[in-house]
Amino acid sequence: MIFFRVMSKEIFVSTYNILMGFDNKVYDSIENIKKLSKNTNYQFFNFQELRNTDENKDMKKKFQSLFPKLKGSFYIYPKVTCDRLGLGSFSNLKKLNETRVELPTINGPFNPHKYICTESAIFGVISTVYELPNKKTIRISNAHLEIIGNMKYKKKKIKHILSHFKEKVDYEIFCGDMNTVGLANFSKKKLMAHKKQFLNLLGKGFIDVKLPRGKYWTSDIKNNVSPTMKGATTFRKLFVPLGIHVRQRLDWIFVKNLKPTFCDVLYDCVGSDHYPLVAKLKME
């Protein structure tokens, strides 16, 4: 008797905050991400801070040109701005529907953005449901949470996002820039506590895609500073020549009914204060 081994399909997923694409090196980094996705069956590319700028007045058009064969989902404010939502997700699967959720922000004197940045940013999520060839469904949520507020505040934001998800799916990925601020090399226990709280909120069956050994941060503000930050030039002149790192774990990938087989933080991909976080997954 001859037995045939059924090969499970492989999924590639990435999340990358591009810092509004001010540095053109970020587009070289995206090409490197795309190379890693080769030979996988289904791909999901997720980006945060796809905001229209004076240099790139139509980020939707620019990013669609980077992924001409993939279907894009966008949540981008139509005008040139640094404070409005800018999210983009791309996949080679059939898109069934998408949900956009804008998150309320803290206003008034208690919002540090008023003192750190020239404009107070608006955050949110774009969640897209796709159909697999076997008619099963997968939801990919690309989130950008606000940098301010403690974990209690972030939990409220995630609950608000989840309240918009009505459709049951077979597989799920929740990823993006969660802004879990804290120096990674000093706050490992705190970050693990954050991860546990995220998983409890997302629900039964979700797991974290673990970073490889020795790679415990996904952001380093030394690499790049947003021009929207007050005193950005002074900050850059201070940190870069002195070689000062501000390494943080801000970006996460959580999955349900999927088995992680590979994960990496691409430290050789520059152009942003974030590094791309990528993973390969098998369907269970």
Side-chain angles (χ1 to χ4, degrees), residues 58-247:
D58 191 343
M59 288 296 275
K60 179 178 179 179
K61 183 177 179 180
K62 183 174 183 64
F63 266 74
Q64 196 63 75
S65 71
L66 295 174
F67 298 92
K69 296 182 179 180
L70 303 187
K71 300 173 182 66
S73 296
F74 299 92
Y75 197 177
I76 301 178
Y77 191 68
K79 297 181 181 178
V80 171
T81 180
C82 68
D83 69 328
R84 297 288 171 173
L85 272 164
L87 299 168
S89 298
F90 301 86
S91 178
N92 62 337
L93 286 173
K94 177 184 177 182
K95 180 167 60 174
L96 296 180
N97 59 69
E98 59 188 44
T99 302
R100 300 181 181 90
V101 183
E102 181 180 311
L103 296 175
T105 186
I106 294 177
N107 295 313
F110 300 106
N111 186 349
H113 268 121
K114 295 172 70 71
Y115 312 105
I116 298 172
C117 300
T118 56
E119 298 181 62
S120 294
I122 294 175
F123 297 84
V125 65
I126 181 167
S127 179
T128 311
V129 176
Y130 298 94
E131 184 179 70
L132 294 157
N134 61 3
K135 300 303 180 181
K136 290 190 175 183
T137 54
I138 181 168
R139 176 164 47 229
I140 176 84
S141 299
N142 174 10
H144 192 187
L145 301 188
E146 198 164 2
I147 194 170
I148 65 172
N150 55 23
M151 193 60 192
K152 182 178 179 181
Y153 181 66
K154 294 185 191 301
K155 285 166 66 176
K156 288 183 179 179
K157 296 299 181 74
I158 292 182
K159 285 181 180 178
H160 180 71
I161 292 170
L162 297 178
S163 70
H164 288 76
F165 296 170
K166 308 300 182 183
E167 184 177 350
K168 289 185 178 181
V169 294
D170 299 289
Y171 307 97
E172 195 153 5
I173 301 171
F174 193 100
C175 66
D177 178 4
M178 309 301 175
N179 268 318
T180 42
V181 175
L183 299 183
N185 49 336
F186 295 118
S187 309
K188 290 182 184 178
K189 288 185 178 179
K190 190 173 184 179
L191 287 171
M192 292 305 101
H194 286 174
K195 179 184 75 173
K196 186 176 180 180
Q197 291 179 73
F198 277 133
L199 291 174
N200 287 339
L201 279 171
L202 292 171
K204 185 178 179 180
F206 270 95
I207 61 171
D208 167 46
V209 177
K210 295 181 180 179
L211 301 188
R213 185 180 296 273
K215 292 190 173 184
Y216 48 83
W217 68 91
T218 62
S219 171
D220 190 346
I221 204 169
K222 170 186 175 292
N223 292 337
N224 216 320
V225 181
S226 171
T228 67
M229 182 176 178
K230 292 178 180 178
T233 303
T234 302
F235 192 89
R236 193 179 294 109
K237 286 181 178 179
L238 172 65
F239 273 61
V240 176
L242 294 178
I244 298 174
H245 295 275
V246 184
R247 291 169 171 164

